[in-house]
Amino acid sequence: MEWWRGAVLYQVYPRSFQDSDGDGVGDLQGLIRRLDHIAGLGVDGLWLSPVFASPMKDFGYDVSDYCAIDPLFGTMDDFDTLVTEVHARGLKLIIDQVYAHTSDAHDWFRASRQDRVNDRADWYVWADAKADGSPPNNWQSVFGGPAWTWDARRGQYYMHNFLGSQPQLNVRNPVVQDALLDVTRFWLDRGVDGFRLDAINFAIHDAALTDNPADPRPGPRTRPFDFQLHLYNQSQPEIPAFLERLRDLGESYGDRFFVAEVVGDAAEAEMHAFTRGGDRLHSAYGFNYLYARALTAERVAETTERWPGADGEGWPAWTFSNHDTPRVASRWAGTHDTGTTARLAMLLLMTLRGNVFLYQGEELGLPQAGVPFERLVDPEAIANWPMTLGRDGARTPMPWTSDGPWGGFSEVEPWLPMDPRHLELAVSTQTGDEHAMLALTRRLIALRKTSPALATGRMTLVEVDGPRLVFRREADGQALLCVFNLGDSPIQISVPDGASLVAGVNGGEDAAGQLPAWSGQIVGLSS
């Protein structure tokens, strides 16, 4: 079986994992120092967010050189050491690749903006102004304002789906695709085991630059981007052909893994399109749970029904927290405390069919950190304050020890503040406590890895009734029943005769006939 199918991968946001050189920012040597913690969780590998050369206007997702390590994080020798040390622990290393856009400091863009006839003139998306000087169409950027910036050198506008300093690559151009494949090859040659493709459904635009229609649906709108249906600035039908080229290259290196991040209203359809058959990506994840403000049985059921395991269907991936969304322990807490929510979310995540991405700090049950306005650095949060929580609260430093004020992350003031509540949940505090969130995480990962039903088995909904969620996982003669109470009051449950308790949280491990509020359990069914 492929190593990646059903795998648990741990996301490292390197700026906030471990500082080794005393500048308040995490780095590669710091990550190497903490690899034993990751290996000790029992995960299959780690996904490393960008460490490439960058002006850091979007904290590494604005790449100025795809084949260089930013000095903030260390050197290429440090990266090579990381690969060696990861593999020495039996883990796989997945790295981010951002193929929809670059930084405006990238040499490709510097050449492209010089004039309209140079060798890289068509490497980015350029268009003439309308007769009145306004942008070529009505497309809006995710971070606010038009998706176009005027450039006097060329006398044209360039497109950007995100920051104005992140010009859109013209991935329609086969030469640009060739250059990106060369980047992929560079990192494959250095021994990485796969790639997470950032915002890959933004990679190709509508060549006719057709206006997006207005979104008629009601709902909160905090940015101009929210007023449109994004039919033309992203999600074009030519994207899968590019993904096939990436997969073909990866296959030539053996058991490499490609997973897409897919954002937007059409994410489910694109996840299927990007992974269908055996010649596109191995897996994809959307924001089904990441953008969910509450955990409901209906949401789990809807998501499950969209991935029934039909012939030719791809393989999904799921994550409840990452560097772009508020931490799940706070986002789904409702009337419950964050610790209770973290335990329930971990049990559910480890029982879903697909790959699992675990965000750093999730194993500790960290809540969303409080970051005052004057400490915000995220451009989206600053632009939309106070209407959105922003991303900084999920990116604060990892608490390794309970010692204040910086919890073993650094010897100096970190780039984002350390939340005092996180110090109480530090790794050192939880280590050795069998009742702690850290120990629970290790047990549930171990259970998933040793259970064919949980790792790769079929998932069948049994009951979805108000707060009650029940589903089966089955494979290789093993059958498990996963039962959750996602409500605020106890519910009656009926477990088949001969069933044996496998795991539970929040009182679910002791339940018999009644499941407490906000709890869950896994039981083994007799054959």
Side-chain angles (χ1 to χ4, degrees):
M1 188 180 70
E2 308 98 330
W3 68 264
W4 52 266
R5 192 177 294 274
V8 179
L9 299 171
Y10 184 88
Q11 183 193 354
V12 172
Y13 191 70
R15 295 182 66 93
S16 299
F17 201 61
Q18 178 66 61
D19 174 21
S20 72
D21 59 6
D23 63 357
V25 178
D27 46 53
L28 291 174
Q29 283 295 333
L31 169 55
I32 292 167
R33 173 180 157 192
R34 298 295 188 180
L35 282 177
D36 286 342
H37 169 75
I38 299 174
L41 295 174
V43 298
D44 299 283
L46 60 145
W47 149 30
L48 178 62
S49 289
V51 291
F52 315 112
S54 168
M56 298 295 165
K57 293 180 180 179
D58 192 23
F59 301 100
Y61 286 92
D62 50 327
V63 179
S64 58
D65 188 340
Y66 285 111
C67 299
I69 300 297
D70 195 278
L72 186 70
F73 298 117
T75 67
M76 191 63 76
D77 285 344
D78 293 332
F79 183 85
D80 291 340
T81 300
L82 174 66
V83 173
T84 299
E85 293 297 326
V86 166
H87 290 162
R89 289 164 174 79
L91 303 175
K92 304 290 187 179
L93 177 63
I94 310 302
I95 64 172
D96 253 318
Q97 295 286 267
V98 188
Y99 289 161
H101 55 260
T102 71
S103 165
D104 59 0
H106 199 294
D107 285 346
W108 295 352
F109 186 70
R110 287 173 172 166
S112 188
R113 77 191 315 181
Q114 287 177 359
D115 54 52
R116 304 188 189 190
V117 296
N118 71 82
D119 290 344
R120 289 179 175 155
D122 195 33
W123 281 39
Y124 292 82
V125 182
W126 295 94
D128 292 330
K130 291 182 178 179
D132 62 359
S134 59
N137 61 23
N138 72 345
W139 296 350
Q140 298 292 314
S141 71
V142 173
F143 289 166
W148 298 95
T149 292
W150 177 256
D151 188 84
R153 298 166 183 81
R154 284 184 49 139
Q156 287 183 304
Y157 283 93
Y158 67 85
M159 178 190 168
H160 50 88
N161 275 306
F162 298 92
L163 293 175
S165 57
Q166 293 172 301
Q168 181 76 18
L169 279 165
N170 182 16
V171 185
R172 285 184 164 278
N173 185 339
V175 178
V176 174
Q177 291 190 17
D178 290 344
L180 293 173
L181 288 169
D182 285 343
V183 171
T184 308
R185 188 176 293 107
F186 174 87
W187 293 107
L188 287 169
D189 286 342
R190 300 203 89 87
V192 304
D193 301 290
F195 304 91
R196 178 255 189 193
L197 304 178
D198 181 74
I200 195 63
N201 58 329
F202 282 86
I204 294 180
H205 66 293
D206 171 52
L209 304 184
T210 308
D211 279 352
N212 280 328
D215 186 347
R217 298 169 298 180
R221 293 182 171 95
T222 59
R223 309 161 295 177
F225 185 82
D226 301 329
F227 286 80
Q228 297 182 353
L229 295 174
H230 304 287
L231 304 184
Y232 299 108
N233 64 302
Q234 63 183 80
S235 308
Q236 298 305 291
E238 297 87 349
I239 294 175
F242 172 54
L243 302 182
E244 289 172 7
R245 297 190 68 192
L246 284 171
R247 174 67 180 269
D248 186 59
L249 174 60
E251 289 296 313
S252 70
Y253 282 79
D255 58 346
R256 301 302 190 264
F257 172 59
F258 290 82
V259 58
E261 177 201 39
V262 185
V263 186
D265 293 335
E268 208 77 45
E270 290 181 284
M271 287 171 66
H272 280 286
F274 293 174
T275 59
R276 185 175 296 119
D279 59 352
R280 296 180 181 176
L281 304 183
H282 301 89
S283 187
Y285 77 88
F287 282 62
N288 308 64
Y289 295 109
L290 287 167
Y291 280 172
R293 297 184 179 182
L295 174 60
T296 65
E298 290 77 10
R299 178 170 293 273
V300 178
E302 289 171 2
T303 303
T304 299
E305 289 169 344
R306 292 169 183 164
W307 293 89
D311 289 344
E313 181 181 285
W315 184 254
W318 307 114
T319 182
F320 290 171
S321 291
N322 72 7
H323 63 289
D324 280 334
T325 59
R327 287 187 176 276
V328 70
S330 295
R331 183 161 34 91
W332 288 352
T335 60
H336 305 278
D337 65 83
T338 57
T340 299
T341 304
R343 290 190 291 273
L344 182 64
M346 187 64 69
L347 182 67
L348 176 61
L349 183 61
M350 293 301 162
T351 58
L352 295 179
R353 175 181 176 270
N355 293 330
V356 166
F357 288 101
L358 191 67
Y359 183 48
Q360 66 182 49
E362 231 174 328
E363 75 275 25
L364 304 177
L366 297 186
Q368 179 78 350
V371 181
F373 179 78
E374 61 272 14
R375 289 296 306 273
L376 291 177
V377 295
D378 174 23
E380 181 184 24
I382 294 170
N384 296 305
W385 176 267
M387 298 305 295
T388 64
L389 285 173
R391 301 175 295 180
D392 289 331
R395 299 178 174 184
T396 55
M398 183 79 170
W400 296 103
T401 69
S402 59
D403 302 332
W406 303 310
F409 166 75
S410 179
E411 296 180 354
V412 301
E413 178 75 22
W415 72 290
L416 281 173
M418 175 71 75
D419 191 313
R421 296 174 300 164
H422 288 189
L423 294 175
E424 299 171 1
L425 298 171
V427 173
S428 65
T429 300
Q430 296 196 34
T431 298
D433 181 355
E434 64 177 13
H435 301 294
M437 181 69 194
L438 178 58
L440 173 67
T441 301
R442 289 170 173 160
R443 289 195 299 271
L444 292 178
I445 292 174
L447 173 62
R448 181 181 173 92
K449 289 184 67 173
T450 57
S451 166
L454 292 179
T456 59
R458 297 180 301 279
M459 181 171 176
T460 307
L461 292 170
V462 174
E463 189 175 1
V464 181
D465 181 15
R468 189 191 313 270
L469 171 67
V470 183
F471 55 86
R472 289 172 66 105
R473 299 297 312 277
E474 299 173 86
D476 298 343
Q478 181 188 48
L480 300 175
L481 193 68
C482 304
V483 187
F484 293 87
N485 177 5
L486 305 182
D488 295 331
S489 301
I491 60 172
Q492 296 299 122
I493 58 172
S494 177
V495 178
D497 293 338
S500 58
L501 182 70
V502 175
V505 298
N506 300 340
E509 62 271 39
D510 301 316
Q514 188 178 74
L515 202 58
W518 214 231
S519 68
Q521 65 177 209
I522 305 172
V523 296
L525 303 179
S526 57
S527 56

